[in-house]
Amino acid sequence: MKGHFVLNRAHLSYWLRQLRKDADLIGPLRSTDGDIIFSSIENIHDIELDCPASIPSPKEFIFPQKEEMFRFSDKGVSSKSNGERRVIFGVRSCDISAIALLDRFYGELYEDSFYMDRRRNTVFISIACNTPDPTCFCIGLGTGPFLKSGFDIQLTDLGNRYLVQAGSGEGLKIIRRFRHLFQKPEKTDFDDQYEAMLSSQSGFEKRITLETVRQKIITAKVEDSFWESVALRCFQCGGCVYECPLCTCFNVVDWKEDKDKGVRMRLWDTCMFKGFTKMAGNVLPAEKQIMRTKRWYFHKLLYYPEQFGKFGCVGCGRCTITCPGRIDMAAVANKLD
Amino acid sequence: MKNKNRQNRKGLYLPAKVEILDVVDMTSDVKLFKLERPKSFYYSPGQFLMVSVWGAGEVPISITSTHEIRKDIELCIRKVGAVTSALHSLTAGDYLGIRGPLGNRFPFEEAFGKDILFVAGGIGIAPLRSLINLVSEQKEKFGKIALIYGSRNPSEVLFLDEILRWRDEGIDVYLTVDVKTDPWKYSTGLVTEHLSKQRISFKTCHSYICGPHVMIKAVMRDLSLMGMPAENIITTLEAHMKCGVGKCGHCYTDGKYVCTDGPVFNYTEIKQFGMSNP
Ligand SMILES: Cc1cc2nc3c(=O)[nH]c(=O)nc-3n(C[C@H](O)[C@H](O)[C@H](O)COP(=O)(O)OP(=O)(O)OC[C@H]3O[C@@H](n4cnc5c(N)ncnc54)[C@H](O)[C@@H]3O)c2cc1C
Ligand code: SF4
Ligand code: SF4
Ligand code: FES
């Protein structure tokens, strides 16, 4: 099949080392306190291949938590481009599905040049999930554990080898450049991939489709008392928003370095904070927590589907891991299902 | 009222540097800024700019001038906080940054041949002024035109000379204040108390409203009860904005971005979303 290859397990680190020669190689590492984080790879063998979801999601490499928009001085403004080439390895299927949606969000109508510059210079190598975490529910949303499209390169771990699928021109390019490392796949390779997929699908503890929840909200079957009970448990920590691969909001601040020069920055922001919508005259459109809780869920469950035909959730389970109040997407969906 | 404006591909967030040509004091806390208009900068009534003062920040401000009439850009700005105070400290010859024009515009072609009612409260006159001046240039295309403008007290009335000129040119003008202080020869009371006095045909009239949130809400409801079709009742909304281009999420309410889906909405759209909260 076109765009399908096999890579011997022993050749993976060689390939990555070659890719690192003209791009920053980023992948999942275990931090000193045990969390999985995406970071530049110094030593290929540090890459964690069997690990739970990273916290935060890899969205920070295309939409950084804090970024310089431009510098200003009395002479005017200047902005540097984000031209550095990057290969991000070991990304999960759900995160790739999230990035495909972020591409539309930041790219449509008005194009966000900061995001798109980074995006155009980034190639993702994702790994289909053979063993889902207990918190994962991508299977009910079609955003994982194996993807049919939307990736640059998808690897499936078949033990001694990987089935390699190219899903974009950029992906194909970085395979073709090292053609000698890849073989043509046999029928058994596809059979083994199919088996891996079935075994993964049977491993999900959570089976949630958000469609029932959406229907219930649209038909006004969910009363405010339900959202009140969710809001009551919110600590307003913003964790769910920061960790979610599909939360996109930001704040903009000016930083003065000198009398007449400085920098304008943008920083992740969260609609869970009261001041997020504050207006002149100290009007607070979302003063009560219930309004902000509803805003977050309605955005993901009603308005994302209206705007993009997809939920604003890919079932990565990070809000489940993060929320100290245990009122994450999966918990809410379970209660309403 | 979808915004079809697909501009600004590169440098979406980079402001253009423009010179302040003149600053006029209007009231104790409102100033009128006249800015140089960059080449190939076209705007329509209802649109706004993101205005930057380096180091202080960026805020959304409606354009109060009318493209067809003036060569500069006028902004009418009330001092309420950090950025607007920084703006107020600038004078002619200083520079500021602008991005835009952003947002959709007031639809007014639909009002050809029909009566028009403008209802403004406080600084809400600023975005309406852009449309009123455009409409008054082509009065023959419309039926009766009326303006009700409410202010807190006589010293806060904005653009009084211009409003009196509109009146002389044939627009029915009703000025009203909440509190009568100085010698004041016009009305008192809320704008809603003057709606029924208008000699216009409510069933076909088009209305454009801007002012404080509570005023907009009350006027829209009353006009609707008086038989004005919801699609003809048009307002421009305010929201906290950080980007103006549908990305930062601050202005987002019930599935709409005030910055790109609006800021101009009609009553049908407003009943479907927004305004439910505050
Ligand atoms: C589409 C649009 C058009 C507007 N047109 C005008 C105009 O023509 N003239 C005018 O004087 N004002 C206008 N405003 C309001 C103006 O943007 C705010 O008064 C201004 O942002 C306050 O900024 P600040 O830094 O001076 O105040 P701050 O020091 O930030 O705070 C003062 C108050 O303003 C609120 N505020 C802060 N940032 C924003 C923001 N980005 N948007 C809304 N409220 C905010 C704060 O929460 C606080 O209550 C408009 C707003 C919008 C959305
Ligand atoms: S809502 Fe929760 S589960 Fe869904 S994508 Fe965001 S963090 Fe993941
Ligand atoms: S993670 Fe939980 S507690 Fe924290 S803001 Fe989100 S919902 Fe509230
Ligand atoms: S102002 Fe940023 S999304 Fe509307």
Side-chain angles (χ1 to χ4, degrees), chain B residues 22-33 88 90 158:
Chain B
D22 195 14
V23 183
V24 183
D25 282 326
M26 309 211 45
T27 69
S28 58
D29 60 355
V30 177
K31 287 186 181 183
L32 184 69
F33 293 79
H88 270 237
L90 300 178
L158 301 164

Side-chain angles (χ1 to χ4, degrees), chain A residues 58-64 67 82 86 95-108 110-122 124 245-248 250 266, chain B residues 10 12-13 247:
Chain A
K59 83 171 171 193
E60 61 170 338
F61 290 94
I62 28 181
F63 172 47
E67 85 179 300
N82 303 302
R86 285 178 313 185
D95 288 335
I96 293 294
S97 301
I99 288 160
L101 204 46
L102 291 184
D103 288 350
R104 292 188 54 196
F105 174 78
Y106 286 111
E108 282 176 11
Y110 291 95
E111 182 177 302
D112 188 299
S113 43
F114 301 113
Y115 176 93
M116 291 312 281
D117 279 356
R118 285 206 174 78
R119 186 63 186 88
R120 290 197 182 97
N121 289 312
T122 306
F124 290 97
L246 278 172
C247 278
T248 50
F250 58 85
R266 73 171 173 190
Chain B
K10 266 284 143 195
L12 184 59
Y13 302 106
K247 305 296 184 207

Side-chain angles (χ1 to χ4, degrees), chain A residues 250, chain B residues 50 240-252 257-260:
Chain A
F250 58 85
Chain B
M50 290 300 287
H240 189 121
M241 292 187 180
K242 283 295 175 193
C243 74
V245 289
K247 305 296 184 207
C248 76
H250 283 264
C251 73
Y252 182 83
Y257 291 92
V258 175
C259 65
T260 51

Side-chain angles (χ1 to χ4, degrees), chain B residues 15-227:
Chain B
K17 188 175 161 185
V18 295
E19 189 183 347
I20 300 175
L21 306 175
D22 195 14
V23 183
V24 183
D25 282 326
M26 309 211 45
T27 69
S28 58
D29 60 355
V30 177
K31 287 186 181 183
L32 184 69
F33 293 79
K34 296 170 193 264
L35 314 179
E36 143 202 18
R37 187 168 92 195
K39 280 203 196 73
S40 60
F41 181 99
Y42 301 96
Y43 64 90
S44 304
Q47 291 194 291
F48 67 95
L49 296 177
M50 290 300 287
V51 180
S52 285
V53 185
W54 304 142
E58 193 178 41
V59 288
I61 300 291
S62 307
I63 306 177
T64 183
S65 49
T66 311
H67 193 282
E68 289 74 3
I69 297 174
R70 300 188 63 95
K71 288 207 160 34
D72 57 3
I73 302 172
E74 289 179 325
L75 306 177
C76 176
I77 302 175
R78 189 163 76 182
K79 183 165 143 179
V80 295
V83 182
T84 46
S85 299
L87 278 161
H88 270 237
S89 70
L90 300 178
T91 53
D94 287 339
Y95 289 86
L96 44 75
I98 61 170
R99 286 194 295 129
L102 299 167
N104 62 359
R105 61 183 190 87
F106 288 116
F108 67 91
E109 293 83 351
E110 297 144 34
F112 284 162
K114 311 275 167 50
D115 295 347
I116 292 187
L117 172 64
F118 295 102
V119 186
I123 197 154
I125 189 75
L128 288 181
R129 173 176 173 253
S130 179
L131 181 61
I132 298 173
N133 272 321
L134 187 63
V135 164
S136 72
E137 281 283 292
Q138 33 191 318
K139 265 196 280 311
E140 64 293 347
K141 292 193 187 153
F142 303 92
K144 283 206 192 73
I145 304 172
L147 163 68
I148 311 175
Y149 175 28
S151 308
R152 258 182 303 197
N153 60 59
S155 71
E156 291 192 12
V157 179
L158 301 164
F159 302 108
L160 186 58
D161 295 347
E162 204 165 319
I163 291 169
L164 296 178
R165 199 192 73 221
W166 293 337
R167 188 188 60 185
D168 296 342
E169 289 168 3
I171 294 182
D172 278 347
V173 172
Y174 290 78
L175 292 173
T176 175
V177 291
D178 299 351
V179 192
K180 200 161 139 176
T181 48
D182 317 359
W184 175 250
K185 44 188 178 189
Y186 310 101
S187 316
T188 51
L190 301 176
V191 290
T192 40
E193 293 164 28
H194 298 277
L195 293 175
S196 60
K197 297 178 193 153
Q198 305 308 312
R199 287 186 299 268
I200 50 171
S201 48
F202 283 89
K203 299 250 169 347
T204 55
C205 177
H206 287 245
S207 175
Y208 303 88
I209 306 155
C210 187
H213 197 86
V214 278
M215 185 212 94
I216 294 179
K217 233 172 148 170
V219 172
M220 289 193 128
R221 187 199 54 217
D222 287 4
L223 289 178
S224 172
L225 291 174
M226 289 162 86

